[in-house]
Amino acid sequence: MKITEQIAQATRTLISFEVLPPVRGTNISSLYSQLDPLMEFNPSCINVTYHRAEKTFKHLPDGSYKSIEVRKRPGTVGICAAVMNKYKVDAVPHLICGGFTREETENALIDLHYLGVDNVLALRGDAPKNERFFTPEEKGNRNAYELVQQVSNLNKGHYLEEETLNESTTNFCIGVAGYPEKHCEAANMDLDLHYLKQKVDAGAGYITTQMFFDNKKYFDFVDKCREVGITVPIIPGLKPITTLSQLQVLPSIFNIDIPGELTRSLLQCRSKEDVGIVGKEWLVMQCRELMQAKVPFLHFYTMGKNLVVRDVLKTIL
Ligand code: FAD
């Protein structure tokens, strides 16, 4: 079912989880063992991230190096099908512009349509690890707005080849990313919101936010979105803090702040267990406040921390 329909029919705050495809060469059972303990909470959907190929160097027997491209976490489409089949729950594949031509994107969308996937999260993707700026493929989408346009066009039966006989249209509900603390490349919040509205006007039906640890940032963001005329549901993205190193890692990767109060509590911890308890209590507090504010969903960036998320859900539900 479409996320927008799920929200319209909901009588409570819905739950969703985001998972990464297993590393190439790992069995899919590793993913199931992450999801199994979470299924008792009846998630409305499972998001599956997409990972672009990265350039790496292979050491050859003659001592030279060869540049190769490896996608470390393949299988997003297959995992969506497997998750829907095993758990009877909607899967939301993430689609990215990076590394894809428009034709490859169209082919992926056709696969997803045949599999009965109703939702996609349309994203630009980041630059590869060894490059500073994002560069689109020669015949690829340059930003998430163009990707949303492509999915919307397919929903109307407009394929890339004009001569394609297209009586069959897709009917994807399109989600996009939003940044309560601004995307790192945006010159300012107003411009970021302008581009966010562009994605919504092009056909996005809902927004999922970057993680945040200060609910006020989310509430302010929702207010600003409403002020500029963005009316679609805005799903808060949440992540548990489990290690002290995240105090440096999360702000530098995701361009987010960790509130002073949380930082002080974490720095006073004497053990890893204590850090886990503080991180969990903070997330419980965030979830309770968001549920009170009647947010449509709680979206958890589960990412290997399924047991922490399970503990949080056991506490709040
Ligand atoms: P865009 O909306 O294209 O925005 C990127 C930047 O360009 C912003 O600064 C924006 O202000 C600006 N911009 C937007 N439109 C225009 C325009 N028309 N002209 C000029 N500038 C413009 N990454 C992955 O690789 N795989 C994933 O599975 C994945 N999942 C994610 C899930 C969520 C919920 C979130 C929040 C992020 C996810 N990401 C993922 C990371 C995401 O790809 C990066 O944050 C990326 O840098 C931006 O993606 P976007 O879709 O927000 O890009």
Side-chain angles (χ1 to χ4, degrees), residues 18 49-50 94 96 121-126 143-145 177 179 183 185-186 192 195 198-199 208-210 301:
E18 183 163 318
T49 56
Y50 197 93
H94 293 190
I96 59 173
L121 191 72
L123 301 146
R124 188 195 69 180
D126 286 318
N143 47 49
Y145 162 63
Y179 301 83
H183 184 258
E185 295 165 31
D192 213 19
Y195 290 130
Q198 210 177 41
K199 294 193 280 192
T208 302
T209 75
Q210 183 57 279
Y301 292 104

Coordinates of all heavy atoms in Angstrom, one line a residue, residues 18 49-50 94 96 121-126 143-145 177 179 183 185-186 192 195 198-199 208-210 301, ligand 1:
E18 N 14.6 1.2 8.7 CA 15.5 1.3 7.5 C 16.7 0.3 7.6 O 17.3 0.3 8.7 CB 16.0 2.7 7.4 CG 16.8 3.0 6.1 CD 17.0 4.4 5.8 OE1 16.0 5.2 5.9 OE2 18.1 4.8 5.4
T49 N 18.1 0.6 1.8 CA 18.9 1.7 1.2 C 19.6 1.2 -0.1 O 19.6 0.0 -0.4 CB 20.1 2.1 2.2 OG1 20.8 0.9 2.5 CG2 19.5 2.7 3.4
Y50 N 20.1 2.2 -0.9 CA 20.8 1.8 -2.1 C 22.2 2.3 -2.0 O 22.5 3.4 -1.5 CB 20.1 2.5 -3.4 CG 20.6 1.8 -4.6 CD1 19.9 0.7 -5.1 CD2 21.8 2.2 -5.2 CE1 20.3 0.1 -6.3 CE2 22.3 1.5 -6.3 CZ 21.5 0.4 -6.8 OH 22.0 -0.2 -7.9
H94 N 15.2 2.5 -1.9 CA 15.7 3.8 -2.1 C 16.3 3.8 -3.5 O 16.9 2.8 -3.9 CB 16.8 4.1 -1.1 CG 16.3 4.3 0.3 ND1 17.1 4.8 1.3 CD2 15.1 4.1 0.8 CE1 16.4 4.9 2.4 NE2 15.2 4.4 2.1
I96 N 18.7 6.0 -6.3 CA 19.6 7.2 -6.3 C 19.9 7.6 -7.7 O 19.8 6.7 -8.6 CB 20.9 6.9 -5.5 CG1 21.6 5.7 -6.0 CG2 20.6 6.8 -4.0 CD1 23.0 5.6 -5.3
L121 N 11.7 5.8 -2.5 CA 12.3 7.0 -1.9 C 13.3 7.5 -2.9 O 14.3 6.8 -3.2 CB 12.9 6.7 -0.6 CG 13.3 8.0 0.2 CD1 12.1 8.7 0.8 CD2 14.2 7.6 1.4
A122 N 13.1 8.7 -3.5 CA 13.9 9.2 -4.6 C 15.0 10.1 -4.1 O 14.7 11.2 -3.5 CB 13.0 10.0 -5.6
L123 N 16.2 9.8 -4.3 CA 17.3 10.5 -3.7 C 18.4 10.8 -4.7 O 18.5 10.1 -5.7 CB 18.0 9.6 -2.6 CG 17.1 9.2 -1.5 CD1 17.5 7.8 -1.0 CD2 17.1 10.2 -0.4
R124 N 19.2 11.8 -4.5 CA 20.3 12.1 -5.4 C 21.5 11.1 -5.1 O 22.1 10.6 -6.0 CB 20.8 13.5 -5.2 CG 21.8 13.9 -6.2 CD 22.6 15.1 -5.8 NE 23.5 14.9 -4.7 CZ 24.2 15.8 -4.1 NH1 24.2 17.0 -4.6 NH2 25.0 15.5 -3.1
G125 N 21.8 10.8 -3.8 CA 23.0 10.1 -3.5 C 24.1 11.0 -3.3 O 24.0 12.2 -3.6
D126 N 25.2 10.5 -2.6 CA 26.3 11.3 -2.4 C 27.4 11.1 -3.4 O 27.3 10.2 -4.2 CB 26.9 11.0 -1.0 CG 26.0 11.6 0.1 OD1 25.6 12.7 0.0 OD2 25.8 10.9 1.1
N143 N 19.8 15.6 -10.0 CA 19.4 15.7 -8.6 C 18.1 15.0 -8.3 O 17.4 14.5 -9.3 CB 19.2 17.2 -8.2 CG 18.5 18.0 -9.3 OD1 17.4 17.5 -9.7 ND2 19.0 19.1 -9.8
A144 N 17.7 15.0 -7.1 CA 16.5 14.2 -6.7 C 15.2 14.7 -7.4 O 14.3 14.0 -7.8 CB 16.3 14.2 -5.2
Y145 N 15.2 16.0 -7.7 CA 14.1 16.6 -8.4 C 13.9 16.0 -9.7 O 12.7 15.6 -10.1 CB 14.3 18.1 -8.5 CG 13.5 18.9 -9.5 CD1 12.1 18.9 -9.4 CD2 14.0 19.5 -10.6 CE1 11.3 19.6 -10.4 CE2 13.3 20.1 -11.5 CZ 11.9 20.2 -11.4 OH 11.2 20.8 -12.4
A177 N 13.9 13.1 0.5 CA 14.6 13.4 1.7 C 14.4 14.9 2.1 O 14.4 15.7 1.2 CB 16.1 13.1 1.6
Y179 N 15.8 17.9 5.2 CA 16.9 18.1 6.2 C 16.6 19.2 7.2 O 16.7 20.4 6.9 CB 18.2 18.5 5.4 CG 18.6 17.4 4.4 CD1 18.0 17.3 3.2 CD2 19.5 16.4 4.8 CE1 18.3 16.3 2.3 CE2 19.8 15.4 3.9 CZ 19.2 15.3 2.7 OH 19.5 14.3 1.8
H183 N 20.7 20.7 4.3 CA 21.6 19.8 3.6 C 23.0 20.5 3.5 O 23.0 21.7 3.3 CB 21.1 19.5 2.1 CG 22.0 18.5 1.4 ND1 22.9 18.9 0.5 CD2 22.1 17.2 1.5 CE1 23.5 17.8 0.0 NE2 23.1 16.8 0.6
E185 N 25.2 20.9 1.4 CA 25.7 21.7 0.3 C 24.8 22.9 0.0 O 25.1 23.7 -0.8 CB 25.6 20.8 -1.0 CG 26.6 19.6 -1.0 CD 26.2 18.6 -2.1 OE1 25.7 19.0 -3.2 OE2 26.5 17.4 -1.9
A186 N 23.7 23.0 0.7 CA 22.8 24.1 0.4 C 23.3 25.4 1.0 O 23.8 25.4 2.1 CB 21.4 23.8 1.0
D192 N 17.3 25.6 0.4 CA 17.1 24.1 0.6 C 15.6 23.8 0.6 O 15.1 22.9 -0.1 CB 17.7 23.7 1.9 CG 18.3 22.2 1.8 OD1 18.5 21.7 0.7 OD2 18.5 21.6 2.9
Y195 N 14.2 24.0 -2.9 CA 14.4 22.8 -3.7 C 13.5 21.7 -3.2 O 13.1 20.8 -4.0 CB 15.9 22.4 -3.7 CG 16.7 23.4 -4.6 CD1 17.9 23.9 -4.0 CD2 16.3 23.7 -5.9 CE1 18.7 24.8 -4.8 CE2 17.1 24.6 -6.6 CZ 18.3 25.2 -6.1 OH 19.0 26.0 -6.8
Q198 N 10.2 22.1 -4.7 CA 10.3 21.7 -6.1 C 10.1 20.2 -6.2 O 9.4 19.7 -7.1 CB 11.7 22.1 -6.6 CG 11.7 22.4 -8.1 CD 13.1 22.8 -8.5 OE1 14.1 22.3 -8.1 NE2 13.2 23.8 -9.4
K199 N 10.7 19.4 -5.3 CA 10.5 17.9 -5.4 C 9.1 17.6 -5.1 O 8.5 16.7 -5.7 CB 11.4 17.3 -4.4 CG 12.9 17.4 -4.7 CD 13.8 16.5 -3.8 CE 14.1 17.0 -2.4 NZ 15.1 16.2 -1.7
T208 N 10.8 12.1 4.1 CA 11.4 11.5 5.3 C 12.6 12.3 5.7 O 13.4 12.7 4.8 CB 11.8 10.0 5.0 OG1 10.7 9.3 4.6 CG2 12.4 9.4 6.3
T209 N 12.8 12.6 7.0 CA 13.9 13.6 7.3 C 15.2 12.8 7.6 O 15.2 11.6 8.0 CB 13.5 14.4 8.6 OG1 13.7 13.6 9.8 CG2 12.2 15.1 8.5
Q210 N 16.2 13.6 7.5 CA 17.5 13.2 8.0 C 17.4 13.0 9.5 O 16.5 13.6 10.1 CB 18.6 14.3 7.7 CG 20.0 14.0 8.1 CD 20.5 12.7 7.5 OE1 20.2 11.6 8.0 NE2 21.2 12.8 6.4
Y301 N 16.3 4.6 11.7 CA 17.5 4.2 11.0 C 18.1 3.0 11.8 O 18.9 3.2 12.7 CB 18.5 5.3 10.9 CG 18.0 6.5 10.0 CD1 17.5 7.6 10.5 CD2 18.0 6.3 8.6 CE1 17.1 8.7 9.7 CE2 17.6 7.3 7.8 CZ 17.1 8.5 8.3 OH 16.7 9.5 7.5
Ligands
FAD1 P1 18.7 16.7 -3.6 O1 17.3 16.9 -3.2 O2 19.0 16.6 -5.1 O3 19.5 17.9 -3.0 C1 21.0 17.8 -3.0 C2 21.5 19.3 -2.9 O4 21.3 19.9 -4.1 C3 20.9 20.1 -1.7 O5 21.9 20.9 -1.2 C4 19.8 20.9 -2.4 O6 19.5 22.1 -1.8 C5 20.4 21.1 -3.8 N1 19.4 21.0 -4.9 C6 18.3 20.3 -4.9 N2 17.6 20.5 -6.1 C7 18.4 21.3 -6.8 C8 18.2 22.0 -8.1 N3 17.1 21.7 -8.9 N4 19.2 22.8 -8.5 C9 20.3 23.0 -7.7 N5 20.4 22.5 -6.5 C10 19.5 21.7 -6.0 N6 22.1 8.1 0.1 C11 22.4 6.9 -0.6 O7 23.4 6.9 -1.4 N7 21.6 5.8 -0.5 C12 20.5 5.8 0.3 O8 19.8 4.8 0.3 C13 20.1 7.0 1.0 N8 19.0 7.0 1.8 C14 18.7 8.2 2.4 C15 17.5 8.3 3.1 C16 17.1 9.5 3.8 C17 15.8 9.6 4.5 C18 18.0 10.6 3.7 C19 17.6 11.9 4.4 C20 19.2 10.5 3.0 C21 19.5 9.4 2.3 N9 20.7 9.3 1.6 C22 21.0 8.1 0.9 C23 21.7 10.4 1.5 C24 21.4 11.4 0.3 O9 21.6 10.7 -0.9 C25 22.3 12.5 0.5 O10 22.0 13.3 1.6 C26 22.5 13.4 -0.8 O11 23.6 14.3 -0.5 C27 21.3 14.3 -1.1 O12 20.2 13.6 -1.5 P2 18.8 14.4 -1.8 O13 17.9 13.4 -2.4 O14 18.4 15.1 -0.6 O15 19.3 15.4 -2.9

